[in-house]
Amino acid sequence: MKNTYIIGEIGQNHNGSVDIANLIVDLVARPVREEVFGLELHPMDAVKMTKRDLNEELTVSQMNRIYDTPNSFGRTYGEHRAALELSNEEHFEVYQHAKSKGLDFIETLCAVGCLSLLKFFTPDKLKVASRDLTNLPLLAALAETKLPIILSTGMSGKKELDDALDVITRYHDKISILHCVSQYPTHPDNLNLNTIPFLKEHYPQYQIGFSDHTIGISAPVVAVGMGAEIIEKHITIDRHMKGTDQAGSLGPDGVNRMLRDIRVVEHWLGKKSLYIDASVAAAKEKLERSIASKRNIYKGEVITASDIHMLSPGNGFKWSEKEKVIGKIAQNDIPANEIILSDMIN
Protein backbone atom coordinates (compact mmCIF):
# COMPACT_ATOMS: atom_id res chain seq x y z
CA MET A 1 0.00 0.00 0.00
CA LYS A 2 1.32 3.41 -0.99
CA ASN A 3 0.81 6.35 1.37
CA THR A 4 -0.39 9.59 -0.15
CA TYR A 5 1.85 12.50 0.89
CA ILE A 6 -0.57 14.87 2.66
CA ILE A 7 0.41 18.49 3.30
CA GLY A 8 -1.45 20.75 5.70
CA GLU A 9 -1.10 24.30 4.43
CA ILE A 10 -0.89 26.78 7.28
CA GLY A 11 -0.31 29.66 4.89
CA GLN A 12 -1.39 32.84 6.67
CA ASN A 13 -3.87 31.08 9.00
CA HIS A 14 -1.46 31.70 11.86
CA ASN A 15 -2.62 35.36 11.80
CA GLY A 16 0.90 36.54 12.55
CA SER A 17 1.27 34.36 15.66
CA VAL A 18 3.88 31.65 16.22
CA ASP A 19 1.69 30.19 18.96
CA ILE A 20 -1.24 29.74 16.58
CA ALA A 21 1.07 28.24 13.95
CA ASN A 22 2.31 25.72 16.51
CA LEU A 23 -1.26 24.87 17.54
CA ILE A 24 -2.02 24.09 13.89
CA VAL A 25 1.07 21.84 13.81
CA ASP A 26 -0.30 20.04 16.88
CA LEU A 27 -3.62 19.59 15.08
CA VAL A 28 -1.89 18.06 12.07
CA ALA A 29 0.20 15.70 14.17
CA ARG A 30 -2.77 14.07 15.94
CA PRO A 31 -3.16 10.31 15.44
CA VAL A 32 -5.89 9.14 13.07
CA ARG A 33 -8.05 6.09 13.64
CA GLU A 34 -10.77 4.25 11.76
CA GLU A 35 -13.15 3.07 14.46
CA VAL A 36 -15.14 0.24 12.82
CA PHE A 37 -12.15 -1.92 11.88
CA GLY A 38 -9.82 -0.45 14.51
CA LEU A 39 -7.27 0.75 11.96
CA GLU A 40 -4.47 3.01 13.19
CA LEU A 41 -3.92 5.27 10.18
CA HIS A 42 -0.90 7.25 9.02
CA PRO A 43 -1.28 10.92 10.04
CA MET A 44 -0.52 13.95 7.92
CA ASP A 45 3.01 14.04 6.49
CA ALA A 46 3.92 17.72 6.36
CA VAL A 47 2.96 21.29 7.10
CA LYS A 48 3.62 24.21 4.81
CA MET A 49 4.18 27.87 5.53
CA THR A 50 4.64 30.89 3.28
CA LYS A 51 7.37 33.50 3.42
CA ARG A 52 7.05 36.83 1.61
CA ASP A 53 9.51 39.65 1.06
CA LEU A 54 7.29 42.73 1.21
CA ASN A 55 9.84 44.69 -0.83
CA GLU A 56 9.15 42.29 -3.71
CA GLU A 57 5.43 41.74 -3.21
CA LEU A 58 3.29 44.45 -4.90
CA THR A 59 3.66 47.88 -6.43
CA VAL A 60 3.88 50.83 -4.05
CA SER A 61 0.40 51.99 -5.03
CA GLN A 62 -1.08 48.56 -4.31
CA MET A 63 0.71 48.26 -0.98
CA ASN A 64 -0.56 51.72 0.03
CA ARG A 65 -4.19 51.20 -0.99
CA ILE A 66 -6.76 51.25 1.79
CA TYR A 67 -7.68 47.73 2.83
CA ASP A 68 -10.93 48.08 4.72
CA THR A 69 -12.43 44.59 5.05
CA PRO A 70 -13.58 42.47 8.02
CA ASN A 71 -10.45 40.33 7.55
CA SER A 72 -7.97 43.20 7.43
CA PHE A 73 -5.08 43.31 9.89
CA GLY A 74 -4.02 46.84 8.89
CA ARG A 75 -5.28 50.14 7.44
CA THR A 76 -3.50 49.57 4.10
CA TYR A 77 -2.85 46.35 2.27
CA GLY A 78 0.86 46.74 3.03
CA GLU A 79 0.16 47.05 6.75
CA HIS A 80 -2.15 44.05 6.52
CA ARG A 81 0.54 41.93 4.88
CA ALA A 82 3.19 43.08 7.37
CA ALA A 83 0.95 42.05 10.29
CA LEU A 84 0.65 38.54 8.89
CA GLU A 85 4.33 38.06 8.17
CA LEU A 86 6.47 35.97 10.49
CA SER A 87 10.22 36.57 10.71
CA ASN A 88 12.85 34.05 9.67
CA GLU A 89 13.44 33.28 13.34
CA GLU A 90 9.73 32.65 13.89
CA HIS A 91 9.57 30.34 10.88
CA PHE A 92 12.47 28.46 12.44
CA GLU A 93 10.49 28.08 15.69
CA VAL A 94 7.58 26.52 13.82
CA TYR A 95 9.99 24.35 11.82
CA GLN A 96 11.50 23.01 15.05
CA HIS A 97 8.06 22.30 16.49
CA ALA A 98 6.96 20.46 13.35
CA LYS A 99 10.14 18.38 13.38
CA SER A 100 9.57 17.49 17.05
CA LYS A 101 6.21 16.05 15.94
CA GLY A 102 7.79 13.98 13.16
CA LEU A 103 6.43 16.15 10.34
CA ASP A 104 8.14 17.35 7.19
CA PHE A 105 8.33 21.11 6.79
CA ILE A 106 7.72 22.82 3.46
CA GLU A 107 8.20 26.48 2.62
CA THR A 108 6.68 28.60 -0.11
CA LEU A 109 9.26 31.30 -0.81
CA CYS A 110 7.63 34.13 -2.74
CA ALA A 111 10.73 36.10 -3.71
CA VAL A 112 14.47 35.69 -4.17
CA GLY A 113 15.00 37.73 -1.01
CA CYS A 114 13.15 35.08 0.98
CA LEU A 115 16.01 32.65 0.44
CA SER A 116 17.66 34.29 3.46
CA LEU A 117 15.42 31.91 5.42
CA LEU A 118 17.71 29.06 4.38
CA LYS A 119 20.43 30.48 6.64
CA PHE A 120 18.29 29.39 9.60
CA PHE A 121 17.16 25.92 8.49
CA THR A 122 16.69 23.70 5.46
CA PRO A 123 13.10 22.86 4.57
CA ASP A 124 12.35 19.35 3.34
CA LYS A 125 10.83 20.78 0.16
CA LEU A 126 10.13 24.11 -1.47
CA LYS A 127 6.72 24.98 -2.87
CA VAL A 128 6.10 27.34 -5.77
CA ALA A 129 2.78 29.15 -5.51
CA SER A 130 0.56 29.15 -8.58
CA ARG A 131 1.14 32.85 -9.17
CA ASP A 132 4.90 32.31 -9.39
CA LEU A 133 4.96 29.48 -11.91
CA THR A 134 5.82 32.09 -14.56
CA ASN A 135 8.34 33.86 -12.29
CA LEU A 136 11.28 32.19 -13.99
CA PRO A 137 14.03 34.12 -12.13
CA LEU A 138 12.55 32.93 -8.82
CA LEU A 139 12.31 29.35 -10.11
CA ALA A 140 15.96 29.42 -11.09
CA ALA A 141 16.97 30.69 -7.65
CA LEU A 142 14.90 28.00 -5.92
CA ALA A 143 16.18 25.25 -8.19
CA GLU A 144 19.77 26.28 -7.55
CA THR A 145 19.33 25.20 -3.91
CA LYS A 146 18.86 21.61 -5.21
CA LEU A 147 15.96 21.16 -2.75
CA PRO A 148 12.92 19.19 -4.04
CA ILE A 149 10.34 21.52 -5.57
CA ILE A 150 6.56 21.27 -5.68
CA LEU A 151 4.87 23.23 -8.48
CA SER A 152 1.24 24.33 -8.29
CA THR A 153 -0.52 24.85 -11.63
CA GLY A 154 -3.49 26.90 -10.44
CA MET A 155 -3.05 29.77 -12.92
CA SER A 156 -1.19 28.01 -15.72
CA GLY A 157 -1.58 25.90 -18.80
CA LYS A 158 0.76 23.37 -20.35
CA LYS A 159 3.09 25.96 -21.90
CA GLU A 160 3.65 27.76 -18.60
CA LEU A 161 4.28 24.45 -16.85
CA ASP A 162 6.74 23.32 -19.53
CA ASP A 163 8.61 26.64 -19.32
CA ALA A 164 8.90 26.24 -15.54
CA LEU A 165 10.13 22.67 -15.85
CA ASP A 166 12.70 23.74 -18.42
CA VAL A 167 14.20 26.19 -15.92
CA ILE A 168 14.19 23.86 -12.90
CA THR A 169 15.53 20.80 -14.70
CA ARG A 170 18.71 22.69 -15.56
CA TYR A 171 19.54 22.16 -11.88
CA HIS A 172 17.68 18.99 -10.81
CA ASP A 173 14.62 16.84 -11.47
CA LYS A 174 13.27 16.40 -7.92
CA ILE A 175 9.94 17.87 -8.94
CA SER A 176 6.30 17.31 -8.06
CA ILE A 177 3.35 18.85 -9.92
CA LEU A 178 0.02 19.65 -8.27
CA HIS A 179 -3.18 20.15 -10.21
CA CYS A 180 -4.80 23.25 -8.76
CA VAL A 181 -7.46 25.83 -9.58
CA SER A 182 -6.80 29.27 -8.09
CA GLN A 183 -10.43 30.07 -7.37
CA TYR A 184 -11.29 30.41 -3.67
CA PRO A 185 -13.44 28.41 -3.17
CA THR A 186 -13.30 26.48 -6.45
CA HIS A 187 -16.67 26.06 -8.20
CA PRO A 188 -17.50 22.40 -8.91
CA ASP A 189 -17.73 23.06 -12.66
CA ASN A 190 -14.17 24.41 -12.68
CA LEU A 191 -12.28 21.74 -10.74
CA ASN A 192 -11.58 19.34 -13.65
CA LEU A 193 -9.99 16.51 -11.70
CA ASN A 194 -9.33 14.75 -15.01
CA THR A 195 -6.26 16.98 -15.18
CA ILE A 196 -4.66 14.53 -12.72
CA PRO A 197 -4.56 11.57 -15.17
CA PHE A 198 -3.55 14.05 -17.91
CA LEU A 199 -0.52 15.12 -15.85
CA LYS A 200 0.33 11.49 -14.99
CA GLU A 201 0.26 10.61 -18.69
CA HIS A 202 2.27 13.59 -19.95
CA TYR A 203 4.72 13.96 -17.02
CA PRO A 204 5.27 10.36 -15.82
CA GLN A 205 8.74 11.18 -14.49
CA TYR A 206 7.30 13.41 -11.75
CA GLN A 207 5.04 12.89 -8.76
CA ILE A 208 1.56 14.22 -9.52
CA GLY A 209 -0.81 15.54 -6.86
CA PHE A 210 -3.65 17.92 -6.10
CA SER A 211 -3.80 21.23 -4.22
CA ASP A 212 -7.41 21.68 -3.18
CA HIS A 213 -9.42 24.87 -2.76
CA THR A 214 -12.89 23.33 -2.75
CA ILE A 215 -15.23 23.32 0.22
CA GLY A 216 -15.22 20.04 2.13
CA ILE A 217 -13.14 16.88 1.88
CA SER A 218 -14.61 14.97 -1.06
CA ALA A 219 -12.35 16.38 -3.80
CA PRO A 220 -9.04 15.29 -2.20
CA VAL A 221 -10.44 11.82 -1.53
CA VAL A 222 -11.59 11.45 -5.15
CA ALA A 223 -8.24 12.81 -6.34
CA VAL A 224 -6.41 10.04 -4.50
CA GLY A 225 -8.68 7.52 -6.21
CA MET A 226 -7.67 9.09 -9.54
CA GLY A 227 -3.98 8.64 -8.83
CA ALA A 228 -2.91 11.76 -6.91
CA GLU A 229 0.20 10.97 -4.87
CA ILE A 230 0.26 14.31 -2.99
CA ILE A 231 -2.64 16.22 -1.42
CA GLU A 232 -2.40 19.77 -0.14
CA LYS A 233 -5.21 21.40 1.84
CA HIS A 234 -5.52 24.63 3.86
CA ILE A 235 -5.95 23.94 7.59
CA THR A 236 -6.77 26.02 10.65
CA ILE A 237 -7.65 25.61 14.31
CA ASP A 238 -10.92 27.56 13.88
CA ARG A 239 -12.71 28.30 10.59
CA HIS A 240 -14.46 31.26 12.26
CA MET A 241 -11.25 33.11 13.07
CA LYS A 242 -10.48 36.39 11.36
CA GLY A 243 -8.58 35.93 8.10
CA THR A 244 -9.31 35.54 4.41
CA ASP A 245 -8.37 31.84 4.23
CA GLN A 246 -9.94 30.61 7.47
CA ALA A 247 -13.49 29.91 6.22
CA GLY A 248 -12.21 27.93 3.24
CA SER A 249 -9.84 25.83 5.34
CA LEU A 250 -10.40 22.60 7.26
CA GLY A 251 -10.83 22.85 11.01
CA PRO A 252 -9.88 20.09 13.48
CA ASP A 253 -12.82 17.81 12.68
CA GLY A 254 -12.45 18.31 8.93
CA VAL A 255 -8.73 17.55 9.07
CA ASN A 256 -9.41 14.32 10.93
CA ARG A 257 -12.15 13.24 8.53
CA MET A 258 -10.08 14.04 5.43
CA LEU A 259 -7.08 12.14 6.75
CA ARG A 260 -9.24 9.18 7.77
CA ASP A 261 -10.98 9.00 4.40
CA ILE A 262 -7.79 9.35 2.33
CA ARG A 263 -5.98 6.71 4.38
CA VAL A 264 -8.98 4.35 4.10
CA VAL A 265 -8.99 4.93 0.32
CA GLU A 266 -5.37 3.77 0.28
CA HIS A 267 -6.54 0.50 1.82
CA TRP A 268 -9.43 0.31 -0.64
CA LEU A 269 -7.33 0.64 -3.78
CA GLY A 270 -5.39 -2.62 -3.42
CA LYS A 271 -3.87 -4.03 -6.59
CA LYS A 272 -4.80 -4.30 -10.27
CA SER A 273 -6.24 -7.81 -10.25
CA LEU A 274 -9.49 -9.76 -9.99
CA TYR A 275 -9.27 -12.44 -7.32
CA ILE A 276 -11.23 -14.09 -4.50
CA ASP A 277 -10.07 -12.45 -1.31
CA ALA A 278 -9.67 -14.65 1.77
CA SER A 279 -12.01 -12.32 3.67
CA VAL A 280 -15.00 -13.38 1.55
CA ALA A 281 -14.51 -17.14 1.97
CA ALA A 282 -17.20 -17.49 4.63
CA ALA A 283 -19.69 -15.38 2.68
CA LYS A 284 -18.86 -17.26 -0.52
CA GLU A 285 -19.67 -20.62 1.07
CA LYS A 286 -22.83 -19.32 2.74
CA LEU A 287 -24.34 -17.37 -0.14
CA GLU A 288 -23.06 -18.82 -3.40
CA ARG A 289 -25.21 -21.49 -5.06
CA SER A 290 -24.43 -25.17 -5.66
CA ILE A 291 -26.09 -27.94 -7.65
CA ALA A 292 -29.04 -29.28 -5.67
CA SER A 293 -31.76 -31.90 -6.15
CA LYS A 294 -35.00 -30.63 -7.68
CA ARG A 295 -36.92 -33.75 -6.56
CA ASN A 296 -36.47 -36.76 -4.31
CA ILE A 297 -33.77 -38.84 -5.98
CA TYR A 298 -33.67 -42.45 -4.85
CA LYS A 299 -30.69 -44.72 -4.43
CA GLY A 300 -29.65 -46.29 -7.73
CA GLU A 301 -31.31 -43.66 -9.93
CA VAL A 302 -29.34 -41.95 -12.68
CA ILE A 303 -29.37 -38.18 -12.20
CA THR A 304 -30.55 -36.20 -15.25
CA ALA A 305 -30.39 -32.50 -16.13
CA SER A 306 -34.05 -32.11 -15.19
CA ASP A 307 -33.30 -33.39 -11.66
CA ILE A 308 -31.05 -30.50 -10.64
CA HIS A 309 -31.12 -26.75 -10.00
CA MET A 310 -29.11 -24.24 -7.98
CA LEU A 311 -29.46 -23.46 -4.26
CA SER A 312 -27.33 -22.00 -1.48
CA PRO A 313 -24.98 -22.73 0.29
CA GLY A 314 -21.98 -22.80 -2.01
CA ASN A 315 -20.16 -25.85 -0.67
CA GLY A 316 -21.13 -28.18 -3.53
CA PHE A 317 -20.67 -28.49 -7.29
CA LYS A 318 -20.90 -25.31 -9.40
CA TRP A 319 -23.00 -25.24 -12.56
CA SER A 320 -19.79 -25.30 -14.58
CA GLU A 321 -19.19 -28.74 -13.00
CA LYS A 322 -22.64 -30.16 -13.82
CA GLU A 323 -21.09 -32.96 -15.90
CA LYS A 324 -19.75 -34.37 -12.62
CA VAL A 325 -23.37 -34.81 -11.47
CA ILE A 326 -25.48 -35.50 -14.57
CA GLY A 327 -25.38 -39.19 -15.53
CA LYS A 328 -24.10 -40.27 -12.13
CA ILE A 329 -25.89 -42.80 -9.88
CA ALA A 330 -27.24 -41.85 -6.47
CA GLN A 331 -25.41 -43.80 -3.76
CA ASN A 332 -28.22 -43.13 -1.27
CA ASP A 333 -31.60 -41.42 -1.25
CA ILE A 334 -31.21 -37.67 -1.82
CA PRO A 335 -34.10 -35.54 -0.52
CA ALA A 336 -35.49 -32.77 -2.72
CA ASN A 337 -33.83 -29.33 -2.48
CA GLU A 338 -30.60 -30.49 -0.88
CA ILE A 339 -27.05 -29.86 -2.09
CA ILE A 340 -25.63 -32.86 -3.98
CA LEU A 341 -22.17 -33.62 -2.60
CA SER A 342 -19.50 -35.82 -4.09
CA ASP A 343 -20.00 -38.66 -1.61
CA MET A 344 -23.72 -38.93 -2.57
CA ILE A 345 -23.03 -40.04 -6.15
CA ASN A 346 -21.05 -42.70 -7.96
Side-chain angles (χ1 to χ4, degrees):
M1 187 180 67
K2 195 172 187 179
N3 281 333
T4 310
Y5 190 82
I6 305 178
I7 305 166
E9 179 167 2
I10 297 174
Q12 61 187 20
N13 284 348
H14 52 67
N15 287 356
S17 164
V18 171
D19 290 338
I20 293 176
N22 284 337
L23 281 174
I24 298 175
V25 170
D26 291 338
L27 163 64
V28 164
R30 293 187 309 176
V32 186
R33 182 177 173 82
E34 193 284 328
E35 296 297 338
V36 174
F37 294 99
L39 299 175
E40 301 294 336
L41 302 172
H42 187 69
M44 201 172 279
D45 297 278
V47 290
K48 186 186 82 67
M49 291 183 66
T50 299
K51 181 65 180 162
R52 292 175 173 85
D53 182 341
L54 298 186
N55 295 317
E56 300 181 56
E57 186 63 22
L58 284 168
T59 61
V60 172
S61 58
Q62 286 295 304
M63 292 291 274
N64 289 336
R65 68 184 169 89
I66 301 300
Y67 192 59
D68 184 19
T69 75
N71 290 312
S72 174
F73 286 83
R75 186 181 65 87
T76 65
Y77 188 75
E79 291 173 358
H80 165 77
R81 284 257 52 98
L84 291 174
E85 201 59 43
L86 295 178
S87 68
N88 288 342
E89 291 85 353
E90 289 170 322
H91 276 255
F92 182 44
E93 284 187 53
V94 184
Y95 164 84
Q96 288 179 307
H97 189 59
K99 284 299 182 181
S100 74
K101 299 291 183 178
L103 294 166
D104 282 356
F105 195 84
I106 301 170
E107 280 281 359
T108 294
L109 302 179
C110 295
V112 173
C114 296
L115 269 73
S116 62
L117 186 73
L118 303 184
K119 296 176 182 177
F120 291 81
F121 65 94
T122 303
D124 295 281
K125 302 175 192 293
L126 299 176
K127 167 78 187 299
V128 176
S130 297
R131 65 172 181 156
D132 279 321
L133 200 69
T134 57
N135 186 350
L136 301 186
L138 174 61
L139 297 187
L142 297 178
E144 199 170 4
T145 68
K146 303 295 178 68
L147 290 172
I149 289 180
I150 302 172
L151 301 176
S152 201
T153 63
M155 302 178 185
S156 305
K158 192 172 186 303
K159 180 186 183 303
E160 291 85 354
L161 176 57
D162 288 341
D163 289 346
L165 291 171
D166 181 60
V167 170
I168 297 169
T169 52
R170 295 172 196 170
Y171 299 90
H172 69 80
D173 59 359
K174 295 174 288 187
I175 302 167
S176 303
I177 304 170
L178 305 187
H179 169 52
C180 176
V181 179
S182 297
Q183 180 187 28
Y184 308 89
T186 304
H187 190 283
D189 290 340
N190 300 334
L191 191 60
N192 204 62
L193 285 178
N194 276 318
T195 298
I196 293 169
F198 173 87
L199 291 171
K200 291 179 75 71
E201 177 185 349
H202 288 85
Y203 303 94
Q205 66 272 48
Y206 305 124
Q207 272 196 315
I208 304 301
F210 173 53
S211 179
D212 183 35
H213 297 128
T214 64
I215 296 170
I217 65 171
S218 296
V221 176
V222 172
V224 171
M226 297 181 73
E229 300 170 80
I230 301 171
I231 293 293
E232 181 183 67
K233 185 80 172 178
H234 285 264
I235 55 174
T236 183
I237 54 171
D238 185 351
R239 296 177 61 248
H240 299 98
M241 285 173 62
K242 181 178 178 179
T244 53
D245 288 342
Q246 305 286 4
S249 302
L250 290 182
D253 182 58
V255 169
N256 186 72
R257 287 185 293 113
M258 183 189 75
L259 283 168
R260 179 202 62 198
D261 288 1
I262 288 175
R263 297 307 185 203
V264 170
V265 166
E266 293 167 349
H267 285 264
W268 286 346
L269 290 174
K271 56 189 178 184
K272 290 182 179 179
S273 179
L274 179 62
Y275 59 95
I276 301 170
D277 191 82
S279 64
V280 305
K284 179 178 173 66
E285 180 166 328
K286 178 183 177 181
L287 300 174
E288 229 176 33
R289 299 180 190 272
S290 302
I291 293 175
S293 53
K294 190 183 284 188
R295 64 174 180 86
N296 289 323
I297 302 171
Y298 298 101
K299 179 179 179 179
E301 284 192 307
V302 176
I303 301 172
T304 67
S306 62
D307 293 331
I308 61 174
H309 62 155
M310 299 291 285
L311 294 176
S312 294
N315 60 328
F317 293 105
K318 306 306 172 203
W319 194 256
S320 61
E321 301 174 299
K322 63 183 182 295
E323 298 308 321
K324 294 180 180 180
V325 178
I326 295 172
K328 305 302 180 185
I329 299 170
Q331 292 281 79
N332 304 99
D333 293 346
I334 303 173
N337 295 316
E338 291 294 342
I339 303 301
I340 300 174
L341 301 173
S342 59
D343 60 358
M344 297 178 178
I345 57 178
N346 187 330

